[in-house]
Amino acid sequence: MSQKQLKEAFISNLNGTSLLEISAGLSLPPLCLLCRGLLLILYYLHHGKPVSSRKYSLLLDFLVLVSPLLFSCTVLSPAIFFIPFILAAFCAAIFSKIYSQRKREARAPFGQIVEEFQKACLDPNCIPAITVFRVYVNVLTSISILAVDFPQYPRRYAKAETYGTGVMDLGVGAFLFGNALVCPEVRQQSRGTQPRFSGVGRQALSVWPLIALGVGRLLSVKSIEYHEHASEYGLHWNFFFTLALVRLAASLLLAVFPIHQAWLAAVALAVLYQLLLSTTSLKAFILHGSDGRDSRLGFLDANREGLLSLLGYLAIYLASVQVGQWLQRGRSSVRGWLAALGGLAGAVLLLWVLLQLCQACAEPVSRRMANLPFCTWVLAHCLLLLGLFLLTDLTLLFTKLLVRGSSVPCCWEVVQPPGSRKKHGTEAVLRDKLSQPCLISAINKNQLLFFLLANVMTGAVNILIDTIHSKAAFTLCILHLYMFLNCLIMYILHARNIVLKFW
């Protein structure tokens, strides 16, 4: 077999992993974020000032926010169920140290702190959990698209062939979920203006770079004979095309349907698509082609997975728009967000039950078809991850009340109620907070560039290195260098306030 055939076989005919293992893995990013925040608060407690050095800030962020994820999906993957407990214990130890070493003059009874925490006012226009969710999906995707080509990345984490739940299968849906949370329709609704077709124009303007990137990827892959998995999207299709068309189609639908009823359109679309899969020959066509022999003749036949899965991805996107609209309701107190956290927990439990019913009554999860169980699974786990990030933000906010003056980038700050005399002072504090060095803010400013660089670097590594036969130490060095270079570029751009977006 040629090198190209070996690499294609290396990522083919896989069956995914268990839902429990994926859930355990999803707990790691929030725990890493919590650990970073507690370390920064502890540093402030001891030194009386935040970490101001950009060099040390980048090093801390990379080692705490990114490096544990690289280890957990490679050499430490056999211990994936123990890592969350180890990180949680470490965070608990840091919190205990912070609580016991508070300045005596700043100490208050625990009950008073809890009461003050519940009454705290927050900026209703700032939801850090959404930013962190979108950044971490990008980071996890960037890690996986290169790590999957190395033997240390478990095959059960890679995309399943037809049925199954791989980590990378979830990443595709999570990318759409994150985009929908901040789509033009949601942002316009939060500002109180809802021109019927303005979102369509905005999306048409914003998706052309995705189409250009899709064409660029197609031409580059074909020209250098780069290894590709035909049953993933087809011979000519790729995720850039899927993301562009889903966003455009969703804007057209939301120009007709009210945004607060987006979930109804999502349910109707997902159920109708599943009925077509179950009662017609559509499923056989997607899996085996028009002649039943996996033919790839004609554009539709050659790209059947990518084209027909658009229906399922569109349902995920519409449901995610509803989530974004619900989150942007202008909650301005901790109590309001605690109630929202309870709502997310209830939604996750409901979707989990629906997932079991869908798999029992219809068919297993299939990313290849983007069927109803796949849509339900993606939404359940995305809401779980979003809820964990929200819980992390609230935990850090409570900890900051213990250490007055401490600050954590990309985390809530207590603000004064509207009309307060200290309003201007609060705004100054928020500006100082936003100017602090932060890897999450750096990636958030240039997310598409980050993803594009990850794809380019992944291609370069695969061309230059025999990834399949790499040893563990070499693999870890390559993955860390790859992620650090990408993060460093984002960090430099952020430090110079450069946003490479011209559309």
Side-chain angles (χ1 to χ4, degrees), residues 187 206 209 247 445-446 448-449 498-503:
R187 294 198 301 269
S206 64
R247 286 173 55 172
K445 268 193 173 181
N446 288 286
L448 184 56
L449 177 64
I498 298 174
V499 180
L500 296 180
K501 183 175 181 179
F502 49 86
W503 57 91

Side-chain angles (χ1 to χ4, degrees), residues 52 58 63 69 87 89 111 253 285 328 356 375 380:
S52 57
L58 172 61
L63 291 179
L69 304 180
L87 284 175
L253 287 175
F285 171 69
Q328 296 281 1
Q356 305 307 315
C375 297

Side-chain angles (χ1 to χ4, degrees), residues 8-193:
E8 288 176 352
F10 194 57
I11 57 175
S12 302
N13 303 314
L14 304 173
N15 300 313
T17 185
S18 67
L19 299 179
L20 184 59
E21 185 170 14
I22 293 177
S23 299
L26 286 181
S27 68
L28 297 182
L31 285 171
C32 290
L33 186 69
L34 178 61
C35 181
R36 191 276 297 252
L38 292 174
L39 286 173
L40 290 175
I41 295 173
L42 183 63
Y43 180 90
Y44 181 89
L45 180 62
H46 285 171
H47 297 86
K49 62 178 181 178
V51 178
S52 57
S53 170
R54 293 189 180 276
K55 178 175 63 176
Y56 292 124
S57 178
L58 172 61
L59 187 61
L60 173 66
D61 282 359
F62 184 81
L63 291 179
V64 179
L65 299 180
V66 179
S67 190
L69 304 180
L70 285 168
F71 280 101
S72 67
C73 69
T74 51
V75 294
L76 294 183
S77 58
I80 190 65
F81 289 105
F82 299 101
I83 298 175
F85 292 102
I86 296 173
L87 284 175
F90 184 64
C91 290
I94 300 174
F95 179 84
S96 177
K97 191 170 185 179
I98 292 172
Y99 189 80
S100 62
Q101 293 185 359
R102 290 175 298 155
K103 295 180 180 179
R104 291 183 178 179
E105 62 272 14
R107 291 186 179 182
F110 186 80
Q112 180 182 336
I113 296 173
V114 172
E115 184 178 355
E116 182 181 350
F117 170 68
Q118 292 178 343
K119 294 179 179 179
C121 294
L122 307 174
D123 182 2
N125 298 317
C126 175
I127 309 176
I130 293 179
T131 299
V132 176
F133 177 92
R134 285 165 44 78
V135 168
Y136 255 115
V137 167
N138 213 332
V139 169
L140 292 169
T141 302
S142 299
I143 292 173
S144 295
I145 59 176
L146 179 57
V148 70
D149 294 315
F150 289 90
Q152 289 74 25
Y153 189 86
R155 296 302 89 194
R156 65 185 184 277
Y157 287 3
K159 289 179 180 176
E161 184 70 24
T162 301
Y163 294 106
T165 51
V167 173
M168 295 186 70
D169 293 315
L170 178 61
V172 177
F175 221 98
L176 284 168
F177 184 92
N179 271 264
L181 292 179
V182 295
C183 69
E185 291 78 13
V186 171
R187 294 198 301 269
Q188 290 166 7
Q189 185 267 345
S190 66
R191 294 169 187 165
T193 57

